[in-house]
Amino acid sequence: MHRHRSHSFSSGILPTRWIGLTLITKLALIGACSGETSNIVPVGKGSYTLARPESCKPLPGTIYRSKELKGPISTNQWWSSLIWKKFSAPLFAHPLAMLSHPGGIAVTYPGDVISGESGNIIGGGIAPDGDFSIGHSAVEAFHDSRCSAYSDWFVTARFAKDEAVLETSIGHGSPFIFCKVEGGTGRIRFGDKPQIWADEGKTLGLTVKGRPYGVFGASGSSWDGKDGDVLTNRGKKPYFSIALLPEKSEEILALFEKHAHNHVTGTRAVPKISGGELTTSYRFETSAMEGSGSGTIFALYPHQWKYSEDELSELSYASVRGTMKVGTGSEFTTTVPIQGLLPMLPPEGIPDKERMKDYLMKAASIHTSQYKDTYWEGKHLGMLTTLSGIAEVMDEPVLQKRFVSEIRKRLENWFTAKPGEDSPLFYYNRNWGSLVGSKPSYGSDDQLNDHHFHYGYFIRAAAEVARLEPKWAEDWGPMVELLIREIASPSYKDSLFPHIRCFDTYAGHSWASGHADFGDGNNQESSSESMNAWYALMLWGEATGNEVIRDTGIYLFNTERTAVEEYWFDVSETNFPKNFPHVALGMVWGGKGAFATWFSGEIDCIHGINWLPFTPASIYMGRFPDYVRKNHARIVDERPKGDDYNNGWGDLVVMFKALEDPAYAARYIDGNPNCSLEGGNTHAFMYLWIHTLDRLGRNDASVTADHPFVNVYSKNGKKTYVAYNHDSKPRKVSFSDGTTLVAEPHGLTLERR
């Protein structure tokens, strides 16, 4: 029997069949490059092309990276503009913000001027000269800046001209900028003349624009220009560092000096799943430039310190995400409860089977021969996938077969590239190491935007076919797993794709923009479509017996869940500024939080874009029912038609409300059986979702399990436990409250206690 085992990600090793797939694909790439084969690369029964389709705009030819940095490169990160442009857009690492420019790298602290008064959460941003700029004594203007190294949340920007080199290493949560120089010395140019309040020769404590910093030269060095606005390091050792101090204090300056020359050279998040908990170790690798010390100083985001039992100091920084608490050492850990998920909801949520069958029959009668772009095609596949699960619990095999056949047909067409074909297909860009679907949309081609949003729908649809037809998964799985590797390759050694492209391991959530070329850094609008992608990984991994993919999905889903709760919803009311007038954000940016979307200013859309698509996995949004109540009340107050939900995205508003007051939602759907719908929703799932919650109860977030495919509902003091078992044999599922049940093979098992 397949068992859920504790799995560590520290090795970063690909599954054996992935190694074979990678080797086959590399050989095909070599052949294509040499002209020995066509541009079509076979993968399992499917294929992709190396030729850019007409519908796809070209990606930039230049990646701004050093010659030593080879292989597929990360995009969709907080620092991605560094590789897309000669000089970066603002880089919001938190607590610091940086900006590369011809003179070097500008640095500022944007956290001391945060306000929500405008209706958005706005930080200080970064001016072209910052609080100061770090440069090189021998160079006034570099030709460009280039990424020379990166790890999970740190990156190094390299500036070079002739023999002069400046390297600056920066990262999430780090108050330090670690610098190395060749062919000269370091120079710091201040926007305003700094006030020096501590001077120990090589180490200075100073304040600029009201913000305290420590400046740390190497042993034996000193700083010239202390009576002006330019400091130049004088010494023989090629390194120095600068740090934002939490407070103006000689004691704190001394603490930071102890760690100033332990340069961070690598970072890695190492998740481990055990029972119903996800424990993640955030590890810093340091190199002691002086002495033999180790460890560094770091600041934890709210989604980290709220789930960490590590001892932290009383020091902190402010950020647009909330308070960041300071710790020291080489690692810290977080432990979060795993939210159980089901591939479909149980039949007990269907009070009127005739009505449900009518919904399914109407959905099955709609035929769409046209293939859309990757986003809208994905939404269509998502609807079919959800309908398949409903047909199964309704015991309607003919209808289910119709839905699954349509999914299979459409996926196989997408997963097959033919010479001269424009769409539907996928093409691989060798320069950027990315798989792009055609037809693209919303910049998914020339900007590598939104791949996790789009491909998550495809992967979940494939997982539904794989759950029912294992042979199909064997034949077409290699193409599915290329999509998975495109958005979330679990390996650091993948020769085709970067490690977990779309996810920011320290920020705890994904980014949508491939290039992050905005004044406010990167952004993500639809956190819920990101969650849908990680749900899809869980389902595919379980259906195919691939624990690495499944556990990667569990890690990403539950980590991003905590980030959504903290930064999009602020469920505990600790992160949004007191003068912010809203109860949620539509978009999270590196340098701000926006009550907006890319496409609409309607209240339903600003909230609903972080709910859709509603699937069985949407249960995670009900972990804090008091917040749901508050959120819904605010929406109704601001909707043009109030609690008349038969307009806009009113269906989604009602479904969200069902997470807190399902009886209210049930009265609506029963009284409005043919209500208006958002384009990716169906009456069938709306009916099942609402009545499952009404009949079985709300999500009981206090109970976890040693199996990820469960739900626990609570109503009137009674609990209902539901488990799905993908295996061919029964499996025992143990819950954290002491309950156990035996899940029957290939289906749902429900018990009330």
Side-chain angles (χ1 to χ4, degrees), residues 18-19 51 166 178 237 245 347 365 368 397 446-447 473 481 552 562 592 622 635 705 710 717 734-735:
W18 280 22
I19 295 173
L166 169 68
F178 300 104
K237 297 179 180 178
L245 305 180
S365 68
T368 303
D446 60 329
Q447 301 173 52
E481 292 182 2
T552 299
T562 64
K592 69 179 181 183
I635 296 170
V710 300
S734 299
F735 295 85

Side-chain angles (χ1 to χ4, degrees), residues 460-494:
R460 179 173 171 242
E464 177 67 358
V465 182
R467 182 178 68 85
L468 301 166
E469 303 176 16
K471 182 62 169 62
W472 185 90
E474 292 179 13
D475 292 340
W476 296 91
M479 276 301 298
V480 178
E481 292 182 2
L482 279 179
L483 267 66
I484 291 172
R485 290 162 61 191
E486 161 62 22
I487 63 173
S489 176
S491 174
Y492 292 89
K493 299 179 180 180
D494 195 322

Side-chain angles (χ1 to χ4, degrees), residues 275-277 337-341 558 561 619 623 698-708 710-714 718-722 733-741:
E277 293 184 332
I338 292 172
Q339 172 64 58
L341 306 175
N558 287 280
R561 170 180 63 76
I619 197 74
R623 295 177 66 86
R698 302 190 307 200
N699 178 24
D700 191 331
S702 69
V703 182
T704 60
D706 62 355
H707 178 57
V710 300
N711 274 178
V712 181
Y713 305 93
S714 181
K718 300 292 186 181
K719 287 183 170 60
T720 300
Y721 303 80
V722 186
V733 179
S734 299
F735 295 85
S736 60
D737 63 357
T739 301
T740 61
L741 66 77

Side-chain angles (χ1 to χ4, degrees), residues 716-735:
N716 299 328
K718 300 292 186 181
K719 287 183 170 60
T720 300
Y721 303 80
V722 186
Y724 187 89
N725 180 9
H726 287 76
D727 293 340
S728 59
K729 297 179 181 179
R731 67 173 300 154
K732 179 181 177 181
V733 179
S734 299
F735 295 85

Side-chain angles (χ1 to χ4, degrees), residues 333-620:
T333 61
T334 62
T335 301
V336 303
I338 292 172
Q339 172 64 58
L341 306 175
L342 297 171
M344 76 277 288
L345 296 178
E348 285 76 5
I350 307 173
D352 185 338
K353 293 189 180 300
E354 288 302 314
R355 177 174 168 181
M356 179 61 85
K357 185 173 181 179
D358 184 58
Y359 282 149
L360 293 174
M361 292 286 289
K362 288 179 179 177
S365 68
I366 300 172
H367 299 286
T368 303
S369 58
Q370 179 183 3
Y371 286 82
K372 306 171 185 178
D373 62 61
T374 48
Y375 180 68
W376 289 99
E377 179 73 17
K379 285 178 72 75
H380 182 59
L381 289 168
M383 286 192 293
L384 292 171
T385 302
T386 301
L387 291 167
S388 169
I390 299 171
E392 181 169 323
V393 299
M394 274 284 290
D395 195 21
E396 292 286 346
V398 174
L399 285 172
Q400 184 179 25
K401 183 177 179 181
R402 192 177 302 177
F403 296 130
V404 173
S405 295
E406 182 68 10
I407 295 171
R408 191 192 314 109
K409 178 188 76 174
R410 301 186 80 87
L411 287 177
E412 290 177 7
N413 202 338
W414 275 95
F415 292 162
T416 304
K418 300 173 183 176
E421 183 183 22
D422 183 74
S423 68
L425 53 73
F426 288 91
Y427 98 93
Y428 179 77
N429 184 285
R430 287 168 284 189
N431 187 34
W432 286 87
S434 183
L435 194 69
V436 179
S438 180
K439 295 180 178 179
S441 56
Y442 309 114
S444 62
D445 48 354
D446 60 329
Q447 301 173 52
L448 302 184
N449 295 343
D450 301 349
H451 284 195
H452 59 316
F453 294 166
H454 300 198
Y455 299 173
Y457 289 105
F458 283 73
I459 297 162
R460 179 173 171 242
E464 177 67 358
V465 182
R467 182 178 68 85
L468 301 166
E469 303 176 16
K471 182 62 169 62
W472 185 90
E474 292 179 13
D475 292 340
W476 296 91
M479 276 301 298
V480 178
E481 292 182 2
L482 279 179
L483 267 66
I484 291 172
R485 290 162 61 191
E486 161 62 22
I487 63 173
S489 176
S491 174
Y492 292 89
K493 299 179 180 180
D494 195 322
S495 62
L496 296 181
F497 303 99
H499 175 252
I500 308 187
R501 178 190 304 279
C502 297
F503 190 74
D504 186 323
T505 55
Y506 202 87
H509 60 81
S510 305
W511 295 112
S513 171
H515 56 61
D517 185 12
F518 301 98
D520 291 302
N522 214 324
N523 73 92
Q524 178 165 263
E525 182 182 61
S526 185
S527 60
S528 48
E529 287 181 302
S530 185
M531 297 290 281
N532 184 59
W534 314 144
Y535 171 46
L537 264 63
M538 291 174 61
L539 293 172
W540 175 265
E542 187 75 1
T544 60
N546 190 320
E547 293 184 5
V548 173
I549 293 179
R550 180 201 62 197
D551 288 359
T552 299
I554 293 171
Y555 159 58
L556 296 174
F557 186 96
N558 287 280
T559 304
E560 187 144 8
R561 170 180 63 76
T562 64
V564 171
E565 291 163 357
E566 296 296 333
Y567 312 132
W568 276 260
F569 297 161
D570 191 19
V571 295
S572 57
E573 300 183 12
T574 59
N575 302 321
F576 291 169
K578 297 300 182 186
N579 60 356
F580 181 63
H582 306 294
V583 297
L585 290 174
M587 305 171 72
V588 163
W589 290 78
K592 69 179 181 183
F595 188 71
T597 73
W598 282 109
F599 62 95
S600 174
E602 295 292 328
I603 189 75
D604 287 4
C605 296
I606 294 172
H607 287 267
I609 195 62
N610 285 292
W611 302 339
L612 64 78
F614 269 91
T615 72
S618 302
I619 197 74
Y620 76 91

Side-chain angles (χ1 to χ4, degrees), residues 33 50 83 154 169 329 390 539 571 573 653 677 734:
C33 291
L50 301 175
I83 62 171
F154 254 70
S169 295
I390 299 171
L539 293 172
V571 295
E573 300 183 12
V653 177
L677 295 173
S734 299

